[in-house]
Amino acid sequence: VQLQASGGGLVQPGGSLRLSCAASGINLDSYVVTWFRQAPGKEREGVSGISHGTTSTHYHSSVKGRFTISRDTTKNTVYLQMNNLKSEDTAVYYCAVIRTVNEEIMFRPGPYDFWGQGTQVTVSS
């Protein structure tokens, strides 16, 4: 199983980026896929998740209204569209998958089975 996270970069405040999480070895549509981020000196935190099968989506309060998570089943890829980026969004972003998870703990990193390698997002003027 491989998860390839990509799309990070340097962007000015207010800008946009789209992250991609491409999978091989598994069918992402059968998994809950969640994006996490980790800033220097901080714990890894869940940002956004999409439930398997359905298109139920979940967002951390800090990104609600700015980030959008989506699937492309034909490409076996999950995306995170990030708009109106802020300096506090600066972090390494990871995608992770799990077969099933209760919504109450979706944003906890511990239960997840597989992780991508991370992609750096830097928001700075």
Side-chain angles (χ1 to χ4, degrees):
V1 176
Q2 277 195 321
L3 298 177
Q4 182 72 35
S6 63
L10 173 63
V11 64
Q12 292 185 343
S16 297
L17 285 172
R18 188 179 77 160
L19 306 184
S20 300
C21 177
S24 58
I26 59 171
N27 180 0
L28 277 184
D29 201 41
S30 300
Y31 286 79
V32 175
V33 182
T34 298
W35 285 96
F36 290 82
R37 66 186 180 188
Q38 189 165 20
K42 294 188 177 181
E43 292 187 352
R44 192 169 296 190
E45 64 175 0
V47 173
S48 180
I50 186 165
S51 299
H52 59 80
T54 69
T55 56
S56 178
T57 57
H58 309 269
Y59 299 94
H60 189 277
S61 58
S62 65
V63 305
K64 196 170 292 186
R66 300 188 297 122
F67 290 10
T68 303
I69 192 170
S70 62
R71 292 184 185 272
D72 185 336
T73 55
T74 64
K75 296 182 179 179
N76 205 25
T77 299
V78 168
Y79 301 101
L80 185 67
Q81 178 67 42
M82 307 187 297
N83 298 328
N84 190 22
L85 283 161
K86 305 176 181 181
S87 58
E88 51 263 43
D89 296 318
T90 295
V92 178
Y93 284 70
Y94 302 87
C95 58
V97 299
I98 189 169
R99 279 285 192 178
T100 185
V101 66
N102 290 331
E103 288 184 14
E104 292 78 10
I105 62 171
M106 172 181 276
F107 288 164
R108 297 181 189 176
Y112 283 77
D113 299 318
F114 304 108
W115 290 81
Q117 84 287 4
T119 184
Q120 175 70 47
V121 172
T122 303
V123 184
S124 175
S125 56

